Every structure is written in structure tokens, then in C-alpha cells.
Amino acid sequence: VRTDRPVFDVRAVELMDFRTPQPADGLSFGYVLPLGSHEALVEYTEFSPRTLTADGYESAVRQYADEVLRLGEARIVATETGVIPMTDAPMPRQVGASVFRIGAAGGATRPASGYTFAGVQRQTRAVASALRQGRRPAPPVPHSARSRAMDAVLLRALDSGRVDGPALFCRLFARVPTGRLLRFLDGRTRLYEDLSIGLRTPAGPMLRSAVELPWLPRRPFD
Ligand SMILES: Cc1cc2nc3c(=O)[nH]c(=O)nc-3n(C[C@H](O)[C@H](O)[C@H](O)COP(=O)(O)OP(=O)(O)OC[C@H]3O[C@@H](n4cnc5c(N)ncnc54)[C@H](O)[C@@H]3O)c2cc1C
């Protein structure tokens, strides 16, 4: 959007702004990435079991811009929408003798955050290195087993409604140093850091979700 008034602070981004109305099933938040004092990327995201209609997303992002951010007169310069698979299902990374998948299709998406860029970069570096050395360029699973296990627990806790998503994320952002939390979302934290973050989540619902995970039926991602 481009606004009439200088409403954006170029030194600050808004990540996971939970002032959006919360859906009955799932959670929602806004993002603001300023490009200048009059221009920013404004994003509305919903973690939901089903996608909304195009009109549903459009009115949600407008409501966020008008009622939460109070941007005033603003021109929409460009729009885009997309869907991120937030799942702990294994994704096939080889689908033919010489056909390999990377990126969102190849399991690079961090299940509980939707972040993918860091995983894609790890996969492409590994593929380039394998090609240089004349090896089979199979892309790796770009997130550690520990990250994936923690994400599976969080997804289950959110999906079962046992934890309040906005409250949990706000608590993490309030209590965990920002740098550490951002590295965690990228899957670059050490074991002691993961444990310290885990301790800041509601213990009972997370433990219950962890215990039931091995018994849940699995189906391949399609
Ligand atoms: C609104 C939104 C915001 C996001 N923000 C972030 C973020 O801040 N940080 C982050 O890390 N990630 C973010 N993501 C996740 C994002 O999806 C990935 O980071 C990135 O786009 C993944 O790139 P990709 O190349 O793997 O997949 P895509 O960008 O989805 O590209 C796949 C391409 O393949 C094409 N395609 C699909 N099937 C076929 C076919 N059979 N034949 C030919 N072409 C085909 C598609 O049309 C598409 O162009 C965001 C996603 C969305 C939707």
C-alpha cells in the first residue's frame, strides 16, 4: 500500500501482530514490512484448516489496514495471496529417477511457522555442493529432527485447541530474547536454547500433545 500520510517507521517491522480479530478455528495475525514512510507490504495471515475465499482474505487485510493500523487514505499498489502447507507430514524429495524437489514442495517449510526461505537456502547449498563433487544431488531435509518434533507438538497443541495460539506466541515474543526466537523460527538454535524456549510454553497442554503424537494416524501429504 502507499499512504497519503507518513505512517510507517522504516526501522521497524511488525511480525505476528495479533490485534486482528481471531477466527473461531485457528489463529490470525498481521505483518507490516515498511519500504518507506509512505509505503509498506501489509499482510494478513490465518492458520486455518481450510482456505478462506478470495473476498474473505481481501476484507480481512482491509480491516487490518483500516481498523488496526489506521492507515487513513491508502492506495493498493499490488496484491498477492498464497497458501503454505503447515504440516508435519513427510514430503517426498525424489519423485523420479532424476527428479528432485526442493522448497515448499520438498519439505523446506518449517511446519509450525511456515518459514521456508532458510530451508530452501540450505537445500540449494547442499545440491550445489553435491553437483560440484559429482555426487547425486539429493536435497536434504533442511530442518533437524528436533525442530520437526517440536513443531509437530506445537501444531498438535494448536490444532486440538489446547493452547491459545496468540497468547502462546505473544508470551514467547515477550519472554524469549528476539534474536534467539528468530533463530529458533529459522531452525538455527542449540539444544539448550530450544529447551529454554520450550519452558516458556504451557507445559501441560504441550506435554499432552507430545505424548499422544506417536499414536495419531498418519497419511502422506497430497
Ligand atoms: C503470503 C506468504 C508469505 C510468506 N512469507 C514467508 C516469509 O516471510 N518467510 C519465509 O521463509 N517463507 C514465507 N512464505 C513461505 C513461502 O511459500 C516460501 O518461502 C517460498 O515462496 C517457497 O518457495 P518455493 O519456490 O519452494 O515455492 P513457490 O514460491 O510456491 O514456487 C513454486 C512454483 O512452482 C509452480 N508450480 C507448481 N506446480 C507446478 C507444476 N506441476 N509444474 C510447473 N510449475 C509448478 C507454482 O506455480 C509456483 O510458481 C510465505 C508464503 C506466503 C504464501
Side-chain angles (χ1 to χ4, degrees):
V1 293
R2 195 169 289 138
T3 57
D4 280 358
R5 290 183 294 121
V7 285
F8 301 114
D9 176 355
V10 280
R11 295 160 307 168
V13 298
E14 300 263 3
L15 301 180
M16 292 194 170
D17 179 356
F18 287 108
R19 291 175 296 167
T20 50
Q22 292 303 313
D25 202 3
L27 65 114
S28 76
F29 51 84
Y31 261 45
V32 183
L33 308 177
L35 303 166
S37 56
H38 293 74
E39 199 172 32
L41 173 75
V42 175
E43 182 180 314
Y44 173 82
T45 298
E46 210 169 296
F47 287 9
S48 56
R50 284 161 296 282
T51 50
L52 313 187
T53 59
D55 284 351
Y57 288 114
E58 176 93 27
S59 72
V61 75
R62 273 181 187 279
Q63 193 179 358
Y64 177 55
D66 292 343
E67 293 170 25
V68 178
L69 301 176
R70 298 178 186 281
L71 299 184
E73 283 301 310
R75 192 161 66 81
I76 297 170
V77 180
T79 61
E80 65 173 46
T81 53
V83 179
I84 311 177
M86 301 191 63
T87 173
D88 58 342
M91 304 270 202
R93 280 162 292 120
Q94 181 165 9
V95 289
S98 313
V99 183
F100 300 96
R101 285 185 181 164
I102 61 167
T109 301
R110 185 92 204 251
S113 67
Y115 288 164
T116 312
F117 292 133
V120 177
Q121 284 166 18
R122 288 196 274 273
Q123 285 184 325
T124 48
R125 263 196 298 274
V127 167
S129 160
L131 286 173
R132 223 172 13 241
Q133 293 165 23
R135 287 188 285 112
R136 201 172 135 268
V141 178
H143 304 296
S144 69
R146 194 170 76 236
S147 300
R148 285 179 284 127
M150 290 178 81
D151 279 17
V153 173
L154 179 57
L155 279 184
R156 178 66 191 158
L158 288 172
D159 193 42
S160 61
R162 270 182 214 127
V163 300
D164 174 345
L168 181 137
F169 281 107
C170 289
R171 193 154 116 174
L172 290 181
F173 274 104
R175 298 191 186 170
V176 178
T178 310
R180 177 180 296 180
L181 193 58
L182 293 179
R183 277 189 295 110
F184 172 73
L185 294 174
D186 249 4
R188 290 186 291 118
T189 31
R190 294 172 180 279
L191 176 61
Y192 77 92
E193 294 177 305
D194 287 353
L195 290 175
S196 81
I197 292 170
L199 288 173
R200 280 158 181 88
T201 60
M206 297 300 271
L207 279 176
R208 210 175 135 199
S209 302
V211 167
E212 75 180 5
L213 265 184
W215 314 107
L216 292 176
R218 303 262 142 186
R219 63 178 169 80
F221 184 78
D222 47 44

